[in-house]
Amino acid sequence: VNNNPSPYKVTLSGTLKSPKINFHPPFLMLMPVPLDVETEADITIVPQDYLRPSRIRVKLPELELGDGARTYPLSVQFPGGQDIVLSSDGTINELICHISFRSSKPMSFLGDVFFIDEEKN
């Protein structure tokens, strides 16, 4: 201070937390149904460690059928929106994702549904 060297040394340290999302339930098994009948379920998305708002997008599995045709048998909807919003008290809202399956051809599959935020997490 006042051009005099200070005998004080300041050390800063911190922990960086990457944003992540958890799911409830952690995996989803849809019930078998007859052709052209929809089966559906809801999952809860729980965002954690977000410091700013973000928007979730979804990448669904594309399947190739026996005849070579390609299809997306799953669809998703976010009834309350797909934005991660921070409230004034610092908490983050949970999101509901409605997942449904319908097919006119017989199939079963195991696939991944990717949920991606604006930072590509």
mmCIF file with all atom_site columns, all heavy atoms in Angstrom, residues 90-105:
data_model
loop_
_atom_site.group_PDB
_atom_site.id
_atom_site.type_symbol
_atom_site.label_atom_id
_atom_site.label_alt_id
_atom_site.label_comp_id
_atom_site.label_asym_id
_atom_site.label_entity_id
_atom_site.label_seq_id
_atom_site.pdbx_PDB_ins_code
_atom_site.Cartn_x
_atom_site.Cartn_y
_atom_site.Cartn_z
_atom_site.occupancy
_atom_site.B_iso_or_equiv
_atom_site.pdbx_formal_charge
_atom_site.auth_seq_id
_atom_site.auth_comp_id
_atom_site.auth_asym_id
_atom_site.auth_atom_id
_atom_site.pdbx_PDB_model_num
ATOM 1   N N   . GLY A 1 90  ? -30.817 -20.342 -5.440  1.00 0.00 ? 90  GLY A N   1
ATOM 2   C CA  . GLY A 1 90  ? -29.691 -21.162 -5.874  1.00 0.00 ? 90  GLY A CA  1
ATOM 3   C C   . GLY A 1 90  ? -30.036 -22.602 -6.199  1.00 0.00 ? 90  GLY A C   1
ATOM 4   O O   . GLY A 1 90  ? -29.182 -23.350 -6.645  1.00 0.00 ? 90  GLY A O   1
ATOM 5   N N   . THR A 1 91  ? -31.279 -23.014 -5.975  1.00 0.00 ? 91  THR A N   1
ATOM 6   C CA  . THR A 1 91  ? -31.660 -24.386 -6.317  1.00 0.00 ? 91  THR A CA  1
ATOM 7   C C   . THR A 1 91  ? -31.963 -24.472 -7.814  1.00 0.00 ? 91  THR A C   1
ATOM 8   O O   . THR A 1 91  ? -32.213 -23.466 -8.468  1.00 0.00 ? 91  THR A O   1
ATOM 9   C CB  . THR A 1 91  ? -32.892 -24.846 -5.508  1.00 0.00 ? 91  THR A CB  1
ATOM 10  O OG1 . THR A 1 91  ? -33.980 -23.961 -5.785  1.00 0.00 ? 91  THR A OG1 1
ATOM 11  C CG2 . THR A 1 91  ? -32.594 -24.854 -4.024  1.00 0.00 ? 91  THR A CG2 1
ATOM 12  N N   . ILE A 1 92  ? -31.933 -25.684 -8.323  1.00 0.00 ? 92  ILE A N   1
ATOM 13  C CA  . ILE A 1 92  ? -32.151 -25.928 -9.748  1.00 0.00 ? 92  ILE A CA  1
ATOM 14  C C   . ILE A 1 92  ? -33.393 -26.793 -9.899  1.00 0.00 ? 92  ILE A C   1
ATOM 15  O O   . ILE A 1 92  ? -33.587 -27.764 -9.171  1.00 0.00 ? 92  ILE A O   1
ATOM 16  C CB  . ILE A 1 92  ? -30.922 -26.625 -10.374 1.00 0.00 ? 92  ILE A CB  1
ATOM 17  C CG1 . ILE A 1 92  ? -29.666 -25.788 -10.160 1.00 0.00 ? 92  ILE A CG1 1
ATOM 18  C CG2 . ILE A 1 92  ? -31.154 -26.890 -11.848 1.00 0.00 ? 92  ILE A CG2 1
ATOM 19  C CD1 . ILE A 1 92  ? -28.385 -26.451 -10.604 1.00 0.00 ? 92  ILE A CD1 1
ATOM 20  N N   . ASN A 1 93  ? -34.242 -26.428 -10.858 1.00 0.00 ? 93  ASN A N   1
ATOM 21  C CA  . ASN A 1 93  ? -35.468 -27.183 -11.067 1.00 0.00 ? 93  ASN A CA  1
ATOM 22  C C   . ASN A 1 93  ? -35.194 -28.568 -11.647 1.00 0.00 ? 93  ASN A C   1
ATOM 23  O O   . ASN A 1 93  ? -34.213 -28.778 -12.347 1.00 0.00 ? 93  ASN A O   1
ATOM 24  C CB  . ASN A 1 93  ? -36.404 -26.413 -12.000 1.00 0.00 ? 93  ASN A CB  1
ATOM 25  C CG  . ASN A 1 93  ? -35.842 -26.296 -13.422 1.00 0.00 ? 93  ASN A CG  1
ATOM 26  O OD1 . ASN A 1 93  ? -34.670 -26.014 -13.629 1.00 0.00 ? 93  ASN A OD1 1
ATOM 27  N ND2 . ASN A 1 93  ? -36.683 -26.500 -14.405 1.00 0.00 ? 93  ASN A ND2 1
ATOM 28  N N   . GLU A 1 94  ? -36.043 -29.522 -11.303 1.00 0.00 ? 94  GLU A N   1
ATOM 29  C CA  . GLU A 1 94  ? -35.994 -30.848 -11.933 1.00 0.00 ? 94  GLU A CA  1
ATOM 30  C C   . GLU A 1 94  ? -36.841 -30.794 -13.191 1.00 0.00 ? 94  GLU A C   1
ATOM 31  O O   . GLU A 1 94  ? -37.791 -30.023 -13.280 1.00 0.00 ? 94  GLU A O   1
ATOM 32  C CB  . GLU A 1 94  ? -36.534 -31.908 -10.969 1.00 0.00 ? 94  GLU A CB  1
ATOM 33  C CG  . GLU A 1 94  ? -35.680 -32.087 -9.739  1.00 0.00 ? 94  GLU A CG  1
ATOM 34  C CD  . GLU A 1 94  ? -36.225 -33.153 -8.796  1.00 0.00 ? 94  GLU A CD  1
ATOM 35  O OE1 . GLU A 1 94  ? -37.386 -33.587 -8.967  1.00 0.00 ? 94  GLU A OE1 1
ATOM 36  O OE2 . GLU A 1 94  ? -35.485 -33.550 -7.893  1.00 0.00 ? 94  GLU A OE2 1
ATOM 37  N N   . LEU A 1 95  ? -36.485 -31.610 -14.170 1.00 0.00 ? 95  LEU A N   1
ATOM 38  C CA  . LEU A 1 95  ? -37.228 -31.676 -15.425 1.00 0.00 ? 95  LEU A CA  1
ATOM 39  C C   . LEU A 1 95  ? -37.885 -33.039 -15.552 1.00 0.00 ? 95  LEU A C   1
ATOM 40  O O   . LEU A 1 95  ? -37.299 -34.050 -15.174 1.00 0.00 ? 95  LEU A O   1
ATOM 41  C CB  . LEU A 1 95  ? -36.291 -31.452 -16.615 1.00 0.00 ? 95  LEU A CB  1
ATOM 42  C CG  . LEU A 1 95  ? -35.445 -30.179 -16.599 1.00 0.00 ? 95  LEU A CG  1
ATOM 43  C CD1 . LEU A 1 95  ? -34.462 -30.198 -17.762 1.00 0.00 ? 95  LEU A CD1 1
ATOM 44  C CD2 . LEU A 1 95  ? -36.325 -28.967 -16.674 1.00 0.00 ? 95  LEU A CD2 1
ATOM 45  N N   . ILE A 1 96  ? -39.068 -33.060 -16.110 1.00 0.00 ? 96  ILE A N   1
ATOM 46  C CA  . ILE A 1 96  ? -39.750 -34.324 -16.411 1.00 0.00 ? 96  ILE A CA  1
ATOM 47  C C   . ILE A 1 96  ? -39.617 -34.576 -17.902 1.00 0.00 ? 96  ILE A C   1
ATOM 48  O O   . ILE A 1 96  ? -39.887 -33.699 -18.726 1.00 0.00 ? 96  ILE A O   1
ATOM 49  C CB  . ILE A 1 96  ? -41.245 -34.273 -16.018 1.00 0.00 ? 96  ILE A CB  1
ATOM 50  C CG1 . ILE A 1 96  ? -41.409 -33.979 -14.537 1.00 0.00 ? 96  ILE A CG1 1
ATOM 51  C CG2 . ILE A 1 96  ? -41.949 -35.576 -16.424 1.00 0.00 ? 96  ILE A CG2 1
ATOM 52  C CD1 . ILE A 1 96  ? -40.809 -35.027 -13.617 1.00 0.00 ? 96  ILE A CD1 1
ATOM 53  N N   . CYS A 1 97  ? -39.187 -35.786 -18.247 1.00 0.00 ? 97  CYS A N   1
ATOM 54  C CA  . CYS A 1 97  ? -39.058 -36.192 -19.641 1.00 0.00 ? 97  CYS A CA  1
ATOM 55  C C   . CYS A 1 97  ? -39.993 -37.382 -19.872 1.00 0.00 ? 97  CYS A C   1
ATOM 56  O O   . CYS A 1 97  ? -39.899 -38.399 -19.186 1.00 0.00 ? 97  CYS A O   1
ATOM 57  C CB  . CYS A 1 97  ? -37.617 -36.574 -19.968 1.00 0.00 ? 97  CYS A CB  1
ATOM 58  S SG  . CYS A 1 97  ? -37.384 -37.087 -21.670 1.00 0.00 ? 97  CYS A SG  1
ATOM 59  N N   . HIS A 1 98  ? -40.884 -37.225 -20.834 1.00 0.00 ? 98  HIS A N   1
ATOM 60  C CA  . HIS A 1 98  ? -41.829 -38.279 -21.189 1.00 0.00 ? 98  HIS A CA  1
ATOM 61  C C   . HIS A 1 98  ? -41.269 -39.013 -22.407 1.00 0.00 ? 98  HIS A C   1
ATOM 62  O O   . HIS A 1 98  ? -41.055 -38.410 -23.465 1.00 0.00 ? 98  HIS A O   1
ATOM 63  C CB  . HIS A 1 98  ? -43.190 -37.646 -21.511 1.00 0.00 ? 98  HIS A CB  1
ATOM 64  C CG  . HIS A 1 98  ? -44.239 -38.642 -21.843 1.00 0.00 ? 98  HIS A CG  1
ATOM 65  N ND1 . HIS A 1 98  ? -44.906 -39.356 -20.877 1.00 0.00 ? 98  HIS A ND1 1
ATOM 66  C CD2 . HIS A 1 98  ? -44.731 -39.063 -23.030 1.00 0.00 ? 98  HIS A CD2 1
ATOM 67  C CE1 . HIS A 1 98  ? -45.772 -40.153 -21.463 1.00 0.00 ? 98  HIS A CE1 1
ATOM 68  N NE2 . HIS A 1 98  ? -45.676 -39.999 -22.770 1.00 0.00 ? 98  HIS A NE2 1
ATOM 69  N N   . ILE A 1 99  ? -40.982 -40.305 -22.242 1.00 0.00 ? 99  ILE A N   1
ATOM 70  C CA  . ILE A 1 99  ? -40.410 -41.126 -23.311 1.00 0.00 ? 99  ILE A CA  1
ATOM 71  C C   . ILE A 1 99  ? -41.465 -42.128 -23.767 1.00 0.00 ? 99  ILE A C   1
ATOM 72  O O   . ILE A 1 99  ? -42.102 -42.790 -22.936 1.00 0.00 ? 99  ILE A O   1
ATOM 73  C CB  . ILE A 1 99  ? -39.151 -41.872 -22.843 1.00 0.00 ? 99  ILE A CB  1
ATOM 74  C CG1 . ILE A 1 99  ? -38.080 -40.864 -22.430 1.00 0.00 ? 99  ILE A CG1 1
ATOM 75  C CG2 . ILE A 1 99  ? -38.628 -42.803 -23.935 1.00 0.00 ? 99  ILE A CG2 1
ATOM 76  C CD1 . ILE A 1 99  ? -36.804 -41.483 -21.920 1.00 0.00 ? 99  ILE A CD1 1
ATOM 77  N N   . SER A 1 100 ? -41.646 -42.240 -25.082 1.00 0.00 ? 100 SER A N   1
ATOM 78  C CA  . SER A 1 100 ? -42.621 -43.203 -25.597 1.00 0.00 ? 100 SER A CA  1
ATOM 79  C C   . SER A 1 100 ? -42.018 -44.000 -26.753 1.00 0.00 ? 100 SER A C   1
ATOM 80  O O   . SER A 1 100 ? -41.074 -43.568 -27.408 1.00 0.00 ? 100 SER A O   1
ATOM 81  C CB  . SER A 1 100 ? -43.903 -42.490 -26.041 1.00 0.00 ? 100 SER A CB  1
ATOM 82  O OG  . SER A 1 100 ? -43.625 -41.547 -27.039 1.00 0.00 ? 100 SER A OG  1
ATOM 83  N N   . PHE A 1 101 ? -42.573 -45.181 -26.953 1.00 0.00 ? 101 PHE A N   1
ATOM 84  C CA  . PHE A 1 101 ? -42.138 -46.108 -28.004 1.00 0.00 ? 101 PHE A CA  1
ATOM 85  C C   . PHE A 1 101 ? -43.373 -46.589 -28.747 1.00 0.00 ? 101 PHE A C   1
ATOM 86  O O   . PHE A 1 101 ? -44.404 -46.908 -28.148 1.00 0.00 ? 101 PHE A O   1
ATOM 87  C CB  . PHE A 1 101 ? -41.421 -47.315 -27.386 1.00 0.00 ? 101 PHE A CB  1
ATOM 88  C CG  . PHE A 1 101 ? -41.189 -48.445 -28.353 1.00 0.00 ? 101 PHE A CG  1
ATOM 89  C CD1 . PHE A 1 101 ? -40.053 -48.469 -29.140 1.00 0.00 ? 101 PHE A CD1 1
ATOM 90  C CD2 . PHE A 1 101 ? -42.115 -49.462 -28.473 1.00 0.00 ? 101 PHE A CD2 1
ATOM 91  C CE1 . PHE A 1 101 ? -39.845 -49.511 -30.044 1.00 0.00 ? 101 PHE A CE1 1
ATOM 92  C CE2 . PHE A 1 101 ? -41.913 -50.510 -29.362 1.00 0.00 ? 101 PHE A CE2 1
ATOM 93  C CZ  . PHE A 1 101 ? -40.774 -50.528 -30.157 1.00 0.00 ? 101 PHE A CZ  1
ATOM 94  N N   . ARG A 1 102 ? -43.262 -46.639 -30.082 1.00 0.00 ? 102 ARG A N   1
ATOM 95  C CA  . ARG A 1 102 ? -44.311 -47.201 -30.930 1.00 0.00 ? 102 ARG A CA  1
ATOM 96  C C   . ARG A 1 102 ? -43.644 -47.721 -32.194 1.00 0.00 ? 102 ARG A C   1
ATOM 97  O O   . ARG A 1 102 ? -42.765 -47.065 -32.746 1.00 0.00 ? 102 ARG A O   1
ATOM 98  C CB  . ARG A 1 102 ? -45.349 -46.152 -31.282 1.00 0.00 ? 102 ARG A CB  1
ATOM 99  C CG  . ARG A 1 102 ? -46.453 -46.689 -32.205 1.00 0.00 ? 102 ARG A CG  1
ATOM 100 C CD  . ARG A 1 102 ? -47.358 -45.588 -32.706 1.00 0.00 ? 102 ARG A CD  1
ATOM 101 N NE  . ARG A 1 102 ? -47.989 -44.876 -31.630 1.00 0.00 ? 102 ARG A NE  1
ATOM 102 C CZ  . ARG A 1 102 ? -49.288 -44.953 -31.343 1.00 0.00 ? 102 ARG A CZ  1
ATOM 103 N NH1 . ARG A 1 102 ? -50.075 -45.704 -32.063 1.00 0.00 ? 102 ARG A NH1 1
ATOM 104 N NH2 . ARG A 1 102 ? -49.796 -44.270 -30.349 1.00 0.00 ? 102 ARG A NH2 1
ATOM 105 N N   . SER A 1 103 ? -44.075 -48.900 -32.646 1.00 0.00 ? 103 SER A N   1
ATOM 106 C CA  . SER A 1 103 ? -43.525 -49.453 -33.881 1.00 0.00 ? 103 SER A CA  1
ATOM 107 C C   . SER A 1 103 ? -44.600 -50.257 -34.602 1.00 0.00 ? 103 SER A C   1
ATOM 108 O O   . SER A 1 103 ? -45.392 -50.960 -33.974 1.00 0.00 ? 103 SER A O   1
ATOM 109 C CB  . SER A 1 103 ? -42.322 -50.350 -33.584 1.00 0.00 ? 103 SER A CB  1
ATOM 110 O OG  . SER A 1 103 ? -41.833 -50.916 -34.787 1.00 0.00 ? 103 SER A OG  1
ATOM 111 N N   . SER A 1 104 ? -44.587 -50.145 -35.924 1.00 0.00 ? 104 SER A N   1
ATOM 112 C CA  . SER A 1 104 ? -45.512 -50.931 -36.744 1.00 0.00 ? 104 SER A CA  1
ATOM 113 C C   . SER A 1 104 ? -44.887 -52.248 -37.178 1.00 0.00 ? 104 SER A C   1
ATOM 114 O O   . SER A 1 104 ? -45.543 -53.074 -37.795 1.00 0.00 ? 104 SER A O   1
ATOM 115 C CB  . SER A 1 104 ? -45.946 -50.131 -37.972 1.00 0.00 ? 104 SER A CB  1
ATOM 116 O OG  . SER A 1 104 ? -44.816 -49.801 -38.743 1.00 0.00 ? 104 SER A OG  1
ATOM 117 N N   . LYS A 1 105 ? -43.593 -52.434 -36.829 1.00 0.00 ? 105 LYS A N   1
ATOM 118 C CA  . LYS A 1 105 ? -42.892 -53.675 -37.159 1.00 0.00 ? 105 LYS A CA  1
ATOM 119 C C   . LYS A 1 105 ? -42.352 -54.278 -35.870 1.00 0.00 ? 105 LYS A C   1
ATOM 120 O O   . LYS A 1 105 ? -41.962 -53.559 -34.956 1.00 0.00 ? 105 LYS A O   1
ATOM 121 C CB  . LYS A 1 105 ? -41.754 -53.401 -38.140 1.00 0.00 ? 105 LYS A CB  1
ATOM 122 C CG  . LYS A 1 105 ? -42.256 -52.852 -39.461 1.00 0.00 ? 105 LYS A CG  1
ATOM 123 C CD  . LYS A 1 105 ? -41.159 -52.733 -40.455 1.00 0.00 ? 105 LYS A CD  1
ATOM 124 C CE  . LYS A 1 105 ? -41.765 -52.215 -41.761 1.00 0.00 ? 105 LYS A CE  1
ATOM 125 N NZ  . LYS A 1 105 ? -40.825 -52.242 -42.837 1.00 0.00 ? 105 LYS A NZ  1
#
